[in-house]
Amino acid sequence: TYVYIHHIRRIKDKIDKLKHMKSRRSMVCKEILDVEEKYVNSMHRLATCRKDMMTSFQENSELDIDAIFGNVDVIVGLNDILLDNLRRSNETENNDTIGKIFMKFAPFLKLYSVYLKHLEDSMSLVTKYSEDNVSFKSHCDALEEPLSSMLIRPVQQIPRYVMLLKELLKYTSESHPDRKNIQHAAQLCSQVASYCDEKLERKRLEI
């Protein structure tokens, strides 16, 4: 009887652990989607800001607006597609394609290096134009969020993907069909983060 009760308890503990993992996994999946939605919204605000500035200062040859925003439109387009894929994954019962999605998108995230390479120059231009041009400063002051805060957001995004994928892996069972994909995706995103860091370091050494 003791052996039987002990056996039942072990099974119950295992079931409880699996339920906990599944619950935590669902929360992490939701967090991945929420983080991406907030990020994409903020990047759309940045792209709109670029468009507005291009219109407002098109007659001013002293202001190089394109140099401030770099390839932000490319990043917005990429993350729009990523968000669309994550939303569709969220509609499935087990969210079993997140790893696969990030594996597919990780190589394209290298496009961030182009943006990040020019970020310090972009921030310097914002400071310079704000000091030298009253209209530019007024435009920046009227924004809902400081321009510098919007510009720096992509810096944090790829390391955030790595962190979230590792968290998802922690609560994904060995038998889950997407587990190996998540593992590989975390490695790929980590490699992209290192690639971007190397590009930034090279840029600093050139200076």
Side-chain angles (χ1 to χ4, degrees):
T1 306
Y2 172 77
V3 173
Y4 176 73
I5 291 168
H6 183 66
H7 181 64
I8 293 295
R9 277 180 184 161
R10 280 182 64 191
I11 292 171
K12 186 179 178 299
D13 288 347
K14 195 171 183 181
I15 290 168
D16 287 345
K17 188 179 176 183
L18 286 170
K19 280 181 180 175
H20 174 72
M21 274 185 74
K22 193 173 180 181
S23 170
R24 287 292 301 159
R25 189 176 192 282
S26 293
M27 286 169 68
V28 177
C29 288
K30 187 178 183 306
E31 186 182 359
I32 289 170
L33 181 60
D34 288 348
V35 163
E36 190 62 19
E37 283 182 336
K38 284 174 187 169
Y39 175 66
V40 168
N41 284 338
S42 72
M43 292 307 291
H44 272 281
R45 286 196 299 274
L46 185 61
T48 301
C49 180
R50 175 188 176 276
K51 189 179 174 184
D52 290 346
M53 282 191 169
M54 291 291 285
T55 303
S56 298
F57 301 110
Q58 61 182 338
E59 303 297 328
N60 193 327
S61 59
E62 293 176 9
L63 302 179
D64 189 352
I65 301 301
D66 259 339
I68 294 174
F69 294 92
N71 66 335
V72 67
D73 289 338
V74 175
I75 290 175
V76 170
L78 175 66
N79 282 87
D80 273 342
I81 299 167
L82 177 56
L83 177 58
D84 183 56
N85 277 260
L86 289 173
R87 278 174 176 158
R88 273 186 268 158
S89 176
N90 192 58
E91 289 166 7
T92 62
E93 190 181 342
N94 296 313
N95 271 297
D96 55 5
T97 58
I98 288 178
K100 194 175 178 182
I101 288 165
F102 274 98
M103 271 179 62
K104 185 171 72 175
F105 276 88
F108 296 102
L109 293 173
K110 286 186 177 179
L111 290 167
Y112 271 68
S113 67
V114 178
Y115 179 89
L116 300 177
K117 205 163 91 170
H118 297 290
L119 184 60
E120 284 183 26
D121 294 340
S122 300
M123 303 291 265
S124 297
L125 282 177
V126 171
T127 303
K128 181 181 185 303
Y129 293 164
S130 295
E131 288 171 356
D132 297 348
N133 190 290
V134 176
S135 297
F136 183 87
K137 187 179 186 310
S138 297
H139 192 105
C140 288
D141 289 345
L143 295 171
E144 288 180 24
E145 185 181 359
L147 181 54
S148 56
S149 299
M150 289 193 279
L151 286 168
I152 208 163
R153 195 156 281 130
V155 174
Q156 304 150 343
Q157 197 61 14
I158 298 175
R160 191 174 282 133
Y161 290 149
V162 176
M163 182 192 74
L164 287 167
L165 286 166
K166 284 180 177 176
E167 188 72 5
L168 181 62
L169 187 66
K170 197 192 299 182
Y171 297 109
T172 301
S173 66
E174 294 285 344
S175 60
H176 195 284
D178 201 37
R179 182 179 171 85
K180 284 185 179 176
N181 292 333
I182 296 165
Q183 211 162 9
H184 194 201
Q187 288 169 355
L188 286 173
C189 287
S190 186
Q191 286 167 14
V192 171
S194 298
Y195 173 84
C196 290
D197 286 344
E198 282 170 25
K199 290 281 184 184
L200 280 171
E201 190 55 36
R202 267 189 219 164
K203 166 83 175 171
R204 289 191 187 108
L205 289 172
E206 283 169 15
I207 294 166

